[in-house]
């Protein structure tokens, strides 16, 4: 007796061979995928979901977010990064960031991510205990890191305090099924060599991911050159903190030599094209990194600089951006880009043993896309259709750890009206301050 069976679906497993089942089924028991195949018609299951030939993919993994910043969506837009941060974002965060702010903002983000087919996300912000509470309620998964900086933050007065609190957080959630604690030194320009090294010691001692912003802007590159006489990636390498557990967000401005170094050290990248475009940070050399064998995934970044959590749209932007920028329509084909938000993303967060593809033994994190609508027909190639024609709102059903969290485009675990009401309350509070 299975818990759930999905049948009559066009299954894109996104495994290493891109195995497909055009009339496929998936059997789920105890939160795991126990059978995947084609043609079988008779099942014993508590729930059988007929997919009506819709397309099935693994749950999407968003590898870089600041989830609670949904409450600052659109605030201070169309300004230079320095102005945007110093005159808009940081003052509001300094005044309002608290457990309540982070919990409310993350509840809103969880609704939006589930609605868009995201089953797991990487977060770097403050009060990550609030993010953990949101995730628990929503049924999502998250790699959670509190931003550690060398100056006071809402979570810690010193980087040492931030590191100690991270260790406590790791101990609290190290055996959790949905929450994967990690360590998050903010960036090379906001963290001293001492902080960066100590954070890596924790990552190694506790066997967790090391999430950091790297080479996001030209200003950052120049700043690191002026301070340390070298470029950001080389600076991290010189400190001995460049290795296979590093997930580097953005990586817009690495040199050719640094790309070789990233490949050699097996560093993972979270590419955030829409945020980088909106903040005029530049265009990351993703095709070159992929060509050298670097694992590249995709993140939305926070909604204050994106301004949404639609990972399918983000992947579409990535695919088209790099074709146009490189004057080459063959770079980053749709199949490869879909892998960047599934299989490659799971590798980037060191969880490929559990997620990223539809295979027996993996967590039942599954997304069904409603292709039976005009803008997704005729369906010649499902990979192409998802990346170039679909959007997050085309997701019909989402299953995480074998639990249905969205069905028929209705999120089951987060109250839509409530999160909208709370978001409007925060808008009033911020505007009337």
């Amino acid at each position: 007796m299975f818990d759930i069976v999905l049948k009559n679906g066009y299954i894109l497993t996104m495994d290493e061979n891109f195995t497909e089942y055009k009339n496929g089924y998936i059997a789920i028991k105890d939160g795991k995928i126990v059978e995947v195949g084609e043609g079988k018609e008779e099942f014993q299951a508590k729930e059988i979901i007929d997919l009506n030939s819709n397309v099935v993919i693994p749950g999407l993994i968003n590898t870089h977010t600041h989830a609670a910043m949904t409450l600052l969506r659109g605030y201070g837009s169309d300004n230079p990064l320095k102005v945007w941060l110093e005159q808009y974002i940081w003052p509001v965060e300094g005044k309002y960031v608290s457990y309540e702010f982070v919990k409310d903002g993350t509840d809103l983000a969880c609704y939006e991510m589930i609605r868009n087919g995201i089953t797991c996300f990487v977060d770097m912000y403050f009060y990550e205990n609030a993010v953990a509470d949101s995730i628990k309620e929503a049924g999502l998964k998250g790699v959670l890191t509190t931003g550690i900086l060398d100056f006071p933050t809402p979570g810690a007065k010193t980087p040492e305090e931030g590191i100690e609190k991270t260790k406590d957080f790791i101990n609290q959630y190290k055996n959790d099924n949905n929450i994967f604690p990690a360590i998050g030194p903010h960036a090379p320009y906001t963290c001293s060599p001492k902080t960066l090294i100590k954070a890596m010691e924790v990552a190694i001692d506790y066997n967790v991911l090391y999430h950091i912003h790297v080479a996001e802007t030209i200003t950052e590159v120049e700043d690191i050159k002026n301070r340390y006489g070298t470029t950001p990636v080389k600076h991290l390498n010189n400190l001995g903190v460049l290795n296979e557990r590093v997930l580097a967000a953005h990586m817009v401005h690495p040199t050719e030599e640094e790309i070789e170094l990233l490949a050699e050290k097996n560093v993972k990248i979270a590419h955030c094209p829409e945020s980088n475009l909106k903040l005029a940070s530049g265009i990351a050399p993703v095709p070159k990194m992929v060509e050298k064998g670097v694992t590249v995934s995709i993140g939305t970044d926070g909604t204050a600089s994106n301004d949404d959590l639609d990972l399918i749209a983000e992947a579409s932007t990535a695919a088209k951006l790099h074709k146009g920028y490189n004057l080459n329509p063959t770079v980053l084909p749709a199949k490869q880009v879909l892998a960047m938000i599934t299989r490659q993303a799971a590798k980037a967060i060191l969880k490929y043993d559990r997620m990223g593809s539809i295979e027996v033994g993996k967590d039942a994190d599954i997304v069904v896309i409603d292709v039976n609508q005009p803008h997704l027909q005729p369906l010649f190639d499902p990979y192409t259709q998802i990346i170039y024609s679909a959007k997050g709102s085309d997701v019909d059903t989402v299953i995480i750890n074998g639990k249905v969290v969205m069905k028929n485009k209705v999120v089951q675990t987060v109250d839509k009206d409530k999160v909208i009401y709370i978001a409007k309350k925060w808008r009033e509070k911020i505007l009337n301050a």
Side-chain angles (χ1 to χ4, degrees), residues 255-420:
T255 64
E256 297 271 355
E257 187 181 351
E258 286 179 320
I259 292 173
E260 299 274 2
L261 194 53
L262 293 170
E264 178 191 329
K265 298 291 185 177
N266 199 15
V267 172
K268 320 303 193 295
I269 307 300
H271 176 42
C272 305
E274 291 185 6
S275 176
N276 295 156
L277 286 170
K278 189 187 175 202
L279 294 174
S281 299
I283 298 172
V286 170
K288 286 183 181 177
M289 289 192 279
V290 170
E291 184 185 338
K292 293 296 182 182
V294 179
T295 299
V296 180
S297 60
I298 296 176
T300 58
D301 207 359
T303 58
S305 63
N306 183 290
D307 291 7
D308 60 42
L309 294 166
D310 186 342
L311 196 59
I312 292 175
E314 194 82 27
S316 184
T317 297
K320 291 176 282 195
L321 171 67
H322 295 291
K323 292 177 194 303
Y325 184 69
N326 291 278
L327 302 179
N328 183 352
T330 69
V331 300
L332 298 191
K335 185 181 282 192
Q336 185 176 32
V337 175
L338 186 58
M340 290 166 70
I341 56 177
T342 53
R343 182 174 74 225
Q344 297 300 92
K347 292 176 181 177
I349 62 171
L350 309 180
K351 296 293 177 186
Y352 188 49
D353 61 323
R354 286 190 55 176
M355 58 184 91
S357 61
I358 298 174
E359 297 182 79
V360 171
K362 289 199 171 186
D363 294 354
D365 298 344
I366 294 162
V367 166
V368 181
I369 297 176
D370 175 13
V371 296
N372 291 300
Q373 43 188 329
H375 70 281
L376 294 175
Q377 292 292 333
L379 184 63
F380 293 110
D381 181 328
Y383 304 97
T384 297
Q385 222 77 328
I386 291 169
I387 296 302
Y388 298 127
S389 301
K391 39 194 176 290
S393 56
D394 295 320
V395 173
D396 178 82
T397 299
V398 177
I399 297 172
I400 305 175
N401 282 341
K403 180 182 177 184
V404 178
V405 297
M406 186 172 82
K407 192 171 184 180
N408 299 324
K409 304 186 180 179
V410 178
V411 176
Q412 312 281 312
T413 55
V414 185
D415 186 323
K416 177 182 176 182
D417 292 336
K418 182 181 177 182
V419 293
I420 291 174

Side-chain angles (χ1 to χ4, degrees), residues 19-48:
T19 305
E20 300 176 17
Y21 300 102
K22 292 186 179 179
N23 179 30
Y25 72 92
I26 303 168
I28 299 167
K29 187 172 179 61
D30 298 327
K32 300 287 185 180
I33 298 167
V34 292
E35 281 188 29
V36 185
E38 191 158 20
K40 187 174 175 181
E41 290 296 330
E42 297 299 319
F43 301 95
Q44 293 292 316
K46 295 174 187 174
E47 181 177 8
I48 296 177

Side-chain angles (χ1 to χ4, degrees), residues 21-94:
Y21 300 102
K22 292 186 179 179
N23 179 30
Y25 72 92
I26 303 168
I28 299 167
K29 187 172 179 61
D30 298 327
K32 300 287 185 180
I33 298 167
V34 292
E35 281 188 29
V36 185
E38 191 158 20
K40 187 174 175 181
E41 290 296 330
E42 297 299 319
F43 301 95
Q44 293 292 316
K46 295 174 187 174
E47 181 177 8
I48 296 177
I49 300 174
D50 192 323
L51 300 172
N52 298 312
S53 300
N54 280 324
V55 172
V56 185
I57 60 174
L60 304 179
I61 302 169
N62 183 353
T63 57
H64 184 62
T65 64
H66 311 288
M69 292 184 81
T70 50
L71 296 181
L72 299 175
R73 192 193 316 264
Y75 189 69
S77 288
D78 299 331
N79 279 296
L81 179 60
K82 185 177 171 66
V83 174
W84 178 70
L85 286 172
E86 294 179 359
Q87 295 183 24
Y88 292 91
I89 301 301
W90 287 346
V92 170
E93 287 183 329

Side-chain angles (χ1 to χ4, degrees), residues 142-366:
V143 178
L144 307 187
T145 67
T146 296
I148 297 167
L149 297 92
D150 272 11
F151 45 82
T153 69
K157 292 177 182 174
T158 65
E160 290 79 14
E161 183 186 354
I163 288 171
E164 288 305 311
K165 285 188 172 181
T166 294
K167 287 158 77 171
D168 291 341
F169 186 76
I170 292 169
N171 283 323
Q172 182 178 356
Y173 288 104
K174 62 185 177 184
N175 297 317
D176 199 275
N177 200 39
N178 287 55
I179 294 161
F180 314 119
I183 193 157
H186 177 261
Y189 66 96
T190 51
C191 293
S192 67
K194 178 184 173 185
T195 300
L196 295 170
I197 291 168
K198 181 61 181 172
M200 181 53 74
E201 289 172 357
V202 172
I204 292 169
D205 289 346
Y206 289 83
N207 190 28
V208 296
L209 198 73
Y210 184 98
H211 190 39
I212 181 170
H213 301 80
V214 185
E216 182 176 359
T217 65
I218 292 172
T219 302
E220 175 192 337
V221 173
E222 293 305 315
D223 182 30
I224 297 300
K225 280 182 182 176
N226 291 335
R227 281 200 233 174
Y228 305 110
T230 189
T231 46
V233 175
K234 285 185 179 178
H235 172 57
L236 295 177
N237 190 52
N238 291 342
L239 296 177
V241 298
L242 211 60
N243 58 38
E244 71 285 346
R245 65 180 66 248
V246 175
L247 174 60
H250 301 292
M251 197 59 72
V252 180
H253 300 286
T255 64
E256 297 271 355
E257 187 181 351
E258 286 179 320
I259 292 173
E260 299 274 2
L261 194 53
L262 293 170
E264 178 191 329
K265 298 291 185 177
N266 199 15
V267 172
K268 320 303 193 295
I269 307 300
H271 176 42
C272 305
E274 291 185 6
S275 176
N276 295 156
L277 286 170
K278 189 187 175 202
L279 294 174
S281 299
I283 298 172
V286 170
K288 286 183 181 177
M289 289 192 279
V290 170
E291 184 185 338
K292 293 296 182 182
V294 179
T295 299
V296 180
S297 60
I298 296 176
T300 58
D301 207 359
T303 58
S305 63
N306 183 290
D307 291 7
D308 60 42
L309 294 166
D310 186 342
L311 196 59
I312 292 175
E314 194 82 27
S316 184
T317 297
K320 291 176 282 195
L321 171 67
H322 295 291
K323 292 177 194 303
Y325 184 69
N326 291 278
L327 302 179
N328 183 352
T330 69
V331 300
L332 298 191
K335 185 181 282 192
Q336 185 176 32
V337 175
L338 186 58
M340 290 166 70
I341 56 177
T342 53
R343 182 174 74 225
Q344 297 300 92
K347 292 176 181 177
I349 62 171
L350 309 180
K351 296 293 177 186
Y352 188 49
D353 61 323
R354 286 190 55 176
M355 58 184 91
S357 61
I358 298 174
E359 297 182 79
V360 171
K362 289 199 171 186
D363 294 354
D365 298 344
I366 294 162

